[in-house]
Amino acid sequence: MLDVSGLRAGYGGVEVLRGLDLSVAEGEILAVLGANGVGKTTLNKVLSGVLPPSAGEIRFCGERIERASAARIVEAGLIQVPEGRKIFPDLSVQENLILGSYRRGKPNRARNVEHVLDIFPRLRERLGQMGGTLSGGEQQMLAIGRGMMAEPKLLILDEPSLGLSPLLVEEMFTLIRRLNAEGLAIMLVEQNVVQSLEIAARAIILENGACALSGPAADLAANPELKRAYLGM
């Protein structure tokens, strides 16, 4: 579904991604793991059309998108839920959800709202509430729900557990697993190594803007050298 090869990108002459390769197959969860500063956010910006790459190819559903606009990428079904939620705090929960279908998913808007509210029943209780008054966990649910409104073919989740309590982290990963069980392909960009490897089919470890290690998530989770060298465990 997503195939990235030789990707290079950076800021003001400073290269952050250095020939990165990765792929996401239909219906799988790929975990992209690594510490701060290894290029995860830059990767997401390039995949979403916000930052142009300096080299490399990105193919999504067979089409090259490395020079496509952010709007065109959304219309193709590659949807990102950004780090820090980025909801509209002065709009209601319902209005935030509706805006998720601005570029894609309009014909099925009402049905998709119901689907999101079935997945996140807490949002149903808060439809008229302003987004900025929600708890951190509820805001993360709203951000993911807004992404679902665009009927994603591939959903990129950028640090969905960031800032959540341990109990809410557990709940969030359970919800991610549920979305994937419905057939949605997910690229999970996280620092929460243990739980990411528990739900992912495959994982890659980023180091200095390139893939240091990759393979089945279960194999990486069981590798003591990997834990010590790359994950600080």
Side-chain angles (χ1 to χ4, degrees):
M1 177 170 283
L2 178 68
D3 188 27
V4 176
S5 59
L7 190 63
R8 294 181 177 273
Y11 311 91
V14 178
E15 192 172 61
V16 177
L17 300 179
R18 300 178 173 91
L20 178 62
D21 299 326
L22 66 83
S23 64
V24 183
E26 288 191 25
E28 80 166 346
I29 298 178
L30 173 74
V32 179
L33 307 172
N36 283 331
V38 299
K40 302 193 302 297
T41 298
T42 300
L43 170 63
N44 288 343
K45 288 182 176 180
V46 174
L47 293 179
S48 297
V50 176
L51 177 70
S54 57
E57 289 187 6
I58 305 171
R59 292 185 180 272
F60 180 61
C61 296
E63 295 186 11
R64 290 185 63 170
I65 62 167
E66 67 266 14
R67 298 297 173 184
S69 67
R72 175 69 189 89
I73 290 170
V74 168
E75 289 167 356
L78 179 54
I79 309 298
Q80 180 178 169
V81 177
E83 178 185 351
R85 297 138 198 172
K86 303 295 193 298
I87 63 165
F88 297 98
D90 297 326
L91 296 181
S92 70
V93 167
Q94 185 169 25
E95 289 167 336
N96 269 274
L97 291 176
I98 288 172
L99 282 174
S101 60
Y102 180 75
R103 300 296 306 194
R104 178 180 166 88
K106 279 184 183 178
N108 301 317
R109 178 179 284 166
R111 184 190 71 187
N112 291 339
V113 167
E114 280 303 308
H115 180 55
V116 169
L117 298 180
D118 286 343
I119 296 172
F120 303 110
R122 246 179 289 176
L123 297 182
R124 188 183 296 277
E125 303 168 5
R126 292 159 172 75
L127 270 180
Q129 191 170 325
M130 295 298 103
T133 67
L134 301 177
S135 69
E138 290 165 349
Q139 288 187 18
Q140 187 63 68
M141 292 175 192
L142 179 56
I144 295 175
R146 184 181 58 190
M148 294 297 297
M149 288 294 297
E151 299 179 351
K153 296 179 181 177
L154 171 62
L155 189 65
I156 299 176
L157 298 178
D158 191 356
E159 304 282 5
S161 71
L162 186 66
L164 301 183
S165 69
L167 183 61
L168 285 176
V169 169
E170 289 281 353
E171 184 177 350
M172 191 58 57
F173 277 92
T174 298
L175 290 167
I176 293 169
R177 195 194 301 266
R178 175 181 171 182
L179 292 175
N180 178 248
E182 295 181 355
L184 178 61
I186 295 173
M187 193 176 100
L188 178 61
V189 181
E190 263 286 354
Q191 291 189 66
N192 191 320
V193 171
V194 174
Q195 286 172 295
S196 296
L197 291 177
E198 285 178 354
I199 69 171
R202 293 186 301 115
I204 70 170
I205 311 298
L206 293 188
E207 186 179 67
N208 296 323
C211 177
L213 288 168
S214 65
D219 291 352
L220 295 186
N223 186 328
E225 184 60 32
L226 170 74
K227 293 178 182 179
R228 183 166 56 254
Y230 293 103
L231 306 181
M233 298 167 58

